[in-house]
Amino acid sequence: MKTIFLLLIISILMEATVTTIPLTLLIILTAAIIFRTNEVFILAFISGLFLDILTLYSLGWSSMYFIILVFVIFLYQKKFEIETLHFVIASSLLASFGYLLIQGSDYFVLQSTAVCIIASVSFLIYTATNKKAAKYA
């Protein structure tokens, strides 16, 4: 969990200063899929608030979107196998598409595709390095 917290700080700072790709959304999505604990809701809320403050976006919109995303993932964890590559691809594509559409991004299709590719590669690296998760890939 400490690694996810550090990655969230880095992604918030990068998203606020360098890139418009929703990296924080990607980290929250990954944390929800891997950990499946209620602490992910707190991380989603706090990271959304800090992201909104640093990007001068309307306060609370990112937090609300992140919390709804985590809730939907937890809702479907009993119906679907959420630790599969197919779920990661579909959820990252749909979540980033919706988030970028709400934010009013001009290139939301290209950015959603980039997020989907980054999520897929990071999930494959995670399953290759983690022996417990290798059975789900």
Side-chain angles (χ1 to χ4, degrees):
M1 196 65 125
K2 292 178 184 178
T3 308
I4 294 294
F5 188 71
L6 180 66
L7 287 173
L8 272 173
I9 292 171
I10 292 169
S11 68
I12 289 170
L13 291 175
M14 283 184 64
E15 196 172 337
T17 58
V18 177
T19 184
T20 58
I21 295 175
L23 298 173
T24 309
L25 175 80
L26 181 65
I27 302 296
I28 294 293
L29 177 77
T30 305
I33 290 173
I34 292 173
F35 294 116
R36 297 182 189 182
T37 60
N38 289 336
E39 286 85 16
V40 179
F41 283 106
I42 297 168
L43 285 176
F45 179 73
I46 292 171
S47 62
L49 281 180
F50 280 120
L51 182 65
D52 287 341
I53 290 169
L54 290 176
T55 57
L56 302 175
Y57 196 61
S58 297
L59 192 62
W61 284 105
S62 295
S63 294
M64 188 169 44
Y65 191 84
F66 294 162
I67 288 173
I68 290 171
L69 174 70
V70 171
F71 176 74
V72 168
I73 289 173
F74 285 174
L75 185 68
Y76 284 109
Q77 76 178 354
K78 293 182 181 177
K79 294 186 181 201
F80 300 114
E81 297 226 6
I82 64 171
E83 285 191 11
T84 61
L85 184 61
H86 301 299
F87 186 82
V88 170
I89 290 171
S91 62
S92 65
L93 185 68
L94 292 174
S96 62
F97 187 80
Y99 182 72
L100 290 167
L101 196 63
I102 289 172
Q103 272 192 334
S105 178
D106 292 332
Y107 303 105
F108 56 89
V109 175
L110 183 64
Q111 290 175 340
S112 295
T113 307
V115 168
C116 183
I117 291 170
I118 293 169
S120 302
V121 170
S122 63
F123 182 75
L124 288 175
I125 291 171
Y126 168 73
T127 55
T129 58
N130 192 353
K131 294 178 182 176
K132 184 177 87 171
K135 65 180 181 177
Y136 294 111

